[in-house]
Each structure stands twice: as C-alpha cells, then as structure tokens.
Amino acid sequence: MNNAKRTISWTAALSYFAFSLVINSMGNVLTIVTSQKIHPSILGSAYWTAAQNGLNHSLHGNSTTLSIVFFVVGMLIAVLNMVLEHRIDIKRFLGNLAFMVPFSALISVFANAFSKLLPEAHSWPMVAFYIFLNFFGVSLIAIAISIYQRTNIVLHPADDLMQVLRFKYFKGNAGIAMWVSYIPPTIIGVIALIMLPDFTNYGIGTIFAFLFQGSITGWADTRIFSKLKHQGIAID
C-alpha cells in the first residue's frame, strides 16, 4: 500500500493533514450534537459515529467518556486492518494510534463547544437548519477522509480500513469500499442496541451517511484540492 513515490513536500502533506483532522472532528461532532438537539430525535449521527456513540451510551449513559470509546474502537479496527493486509505492520498500527490521540481530543473540544453553542430546536426552521448542519457534518467527514487518505501520513483506523478495502480489494472504488467498511460499525450498533434499545443515535443523518459518504469522498478526490494526488500508494 505504501510502495509508490510521494510527489508533495512533507510540509504540504502535514498542512493538508492538519486541516483534514480538524474538519473531520468538527463534522463528527456536528452530527452528534444536532441529533441531540432535536426532539424527538430524527437525525442520528454519521454511521461510525452513531455506532460508537450508541455503544458509549449503552455502557455509560452519557457522552463524558465518548473520546475513550472512540479510541478503543479505533485500536480494534487498527488490528483488523493488519489482518486484511495479511501482515503485521507496527509502523502502520502506531500511525493509527497517533491519529487517534489528537482526533479523540478534538472530538471532546468540539463536543463541549457545540453543545453550548447550539440551542435546542423548538421550531421547524431550527429543525430544518439542524438537518442541514447534520448533512453538512457528514460531508465534512467525507471531504476530510479524501484529503488525509491522499496525504497518507497517518489515518483514522476506520478510514484506513476503507482505504485498504478500496485499493486492495475494490480497484479504487470509494463508494463500494465505504459500504463494506460499514460492516464493523453495524455489528457495534447492533450490540449497543441489544444492550440498550435506544435509537436516538440513528436517523436520517445516519441513512444519508450510509448512502452518500463514500460517494462524496470519491467526488472530493477530484474537486477538493484537486492537485493533491494519492501519496505513497501504488494504484493499479
């Protein structure tokens, strides 16, 4: 996966990566908070976020430990990535770990900020605005995935899973790879619902993410920072 040459400087790659890390964290939290602010809950979160937030709620009943759940699940997926690659890659595993530390911290920062900033939705215009913000959050996640997959420095384990599937098994097709990568969060979500039958983390935003997040990532590959090509990956 990493035997191709890089065509951009490390300074540029790190700048792209830092930007994508921020908008990914922001997008994830937007899907969570907007879902929490509408009653009854109809939005849900992005697909991975919904599953992990649901597991956190079933275990702890609140979001104070959300970053811990994100971190632990991420490490389990990092192990799965090595299984799919058919080799133990400690450097890649540590890269997944390195990604999870600032990502989990940013999740907590944005969660606290947006929870205070966004009021409860008590009118249809506000509900409509939160639906837009939720879909926008999913789109931010998809765009961020596109950017840091192309920089290919370190990846979120879930997005590394999607990248492994995309280039090793599905000939670069982002949409199909994204759908297949949703098998683990589906299992996590089912377990969470068995433990606590609470569907507040799932809704039209979750469906939107399932249907379109992979396609938006593929679109962003050619439209967002279009001169940025996939680095360090041999694409057949």
Side-chain angles (χ1 to χ4, degrees):
M1 291 286 290
N2 295 304
N3 58 344
K5 294 182 179 179
R6 291 182 172 272
T7 59
I8 62 173
S9 68
W10 278 103
T11 300
L14 289 169
S15 298
Y16 283 125
F17 172 74
F19 174 72
S20 64
L21 183 64
V22 170
I23 65 171
N24 188 15
S25 306
M26 182 185 300
N28 271 286
V29 173
L30 273 177
T31 68
I32 296 172
V33 175
T34 52
S35 178
Q36 294 172 340
K37 298 294 185 177
I38 295 178
H39 308 286
S41 179
I42 60 172
L43 275 178
S45 308
Y47 206 79
W48 275 95
T49 311
Q52 293 175 100
N53 200 33
L55 180 61
N56 177 73
H57 188 58
S58 66
L59 291 173
H60 304 288
N62 56 61
S63 62
T64 58
T65 54
L66 182 60
S67 61
I68 297 175
V69 172
F70 269 64
F71 187 85
V72 172
V73 171
M75 290 302 95
L76 293 175
I77 299 302
V79 173
L80 174 61
N81 293 338
M82 289 192 289
V83 172
L84 291 173
E85 285 276 42
H86 307 300
R87 64 191 178 95
I88 296 176
D89 189 339
I90 300 301
K91 181 179 179 181
R92 188 173 192 152
F93 181 86
L94 292 176
N96 289 160
L97 176 63
F99 185 102
M100 289 302 301
V101 173
F103 177 71
S104 299
L106 284 170
I107 286 288
S108 295
V109 170
F110 282 121
N112 291 331
F114 287 148
S115 293
K116 296 176 181 178
L117 180 64
L118 298 177
E120 300 288 325
H122 297 297
S123 65
W124 280 111
M126 185 63 75
V127 169
F129 177 61
Y130 280 3
I131 291 174
F132 166 78
L133 280 183
N134 189 281
F135 289 4
F136 178 67
V138 170
S139 300
L140 284 180
I141 296 168
I143 292 169
I145 291 170
S146 168
I147 296 170
Y148 60 64
Q149 279 189 343
R150 281 179 281 160
T151 62
N152 197 30
I153 300 173
V154 293
L155 299 173
H156 185 286
D159 303 322
D160 200 9
L161 170 62
M162 184 262 199
Q163 178 141 289
V164 170
L165 292 168
R166 180 179 183 180
F167 293 112
K168 192 175 181 68
Y169 297 96
F170 297 112
K171 299 180 179 179
N173 190 304
I176 295 176
M178 184 69 77
W179 285 328
V180 176
S181 75
Y182 282 157
I183 293 175
T186 299
I187 295 172
I188 292 170
V190 169
I191 292 172
L193 289 172
I194 292 174
M195 295 172 63
L196 181 65
D198 182 354
F199 290 86
T200 57
N201 292 299
Y202 312 94
I204 59 176
T206 313
I207 296 171
F208 178 82
F210 180 83
L211 293 176
F212 300 113
Q213 186 170 311
S215 298
I216 296 171
T217 295
W219 170 86
D221 282 349
T222 58
R223 301 298 180 89
I224 305 297
F225 302 131
S226 59
K227 293 183 179 180
L228 174 63
K229 306 302 180 184
H230 283 90
Q231 304 293 305
I233 296 178
I235 303 175
D236 299 328

